[in-house]
Amino acid sequence: LLEERIRNAEKIKRQVEAWLNTISPRMQRIIRYRIFEELTWAQVAVKMGRKATEEGIRKEFIRFMESN
């Protein structure tokens, strides 16, 4: 049972990585920072630079997720 769960987790991981490669580099960074590195929206905005704001990054993420 454990081996099957490990195989399923690996399969899901590959699917997520493949999906990430199909989206814009900017959104890839936002997702990596927020989801995988578990940064706050404020921390994501700082890492994104270019005068990005916490609220702007959060809204951009929400709009993207709602459309996909």
Side-chain angles (χ1 to χ4, degrees), residues 6-38:
I6 291 171
R7 282 193 304 273
N8 286 338
E10 285 296 323
K11 181 179 177 183
I12 291 169
K13 180 181 175 186
R14 285 190 304 273
Q15 290 171 337
V16 169
E17 288 171 349
W19 175 75
L20 275 174
N21 288 331
T22 67
I23 63 178
S24 73
R26 178 178 173 83
M27 190 52 62
Q28 286 179 31
R29 289 177 59 209
I30 292 171
I31 290 170
R32 286 184 201 282
Y33 294 151
R34 179 66 181 158
I35 305 298
F36 298 115
E37 294 183 21
E38 300 178 350

Side-chain angles (χ1 to χ4, degrees), residues 30-31 35 41 57-65:
I30 292 171
I31 290 170
I35 305 298
W41 287 119
I57 294 294
R58 186 182 67 79
K59 285 182 178 181
E60 184 178 349
F61 174 81
I62 290 170
R63 282 192 304 268
F64 173 80
M65 293 307 250

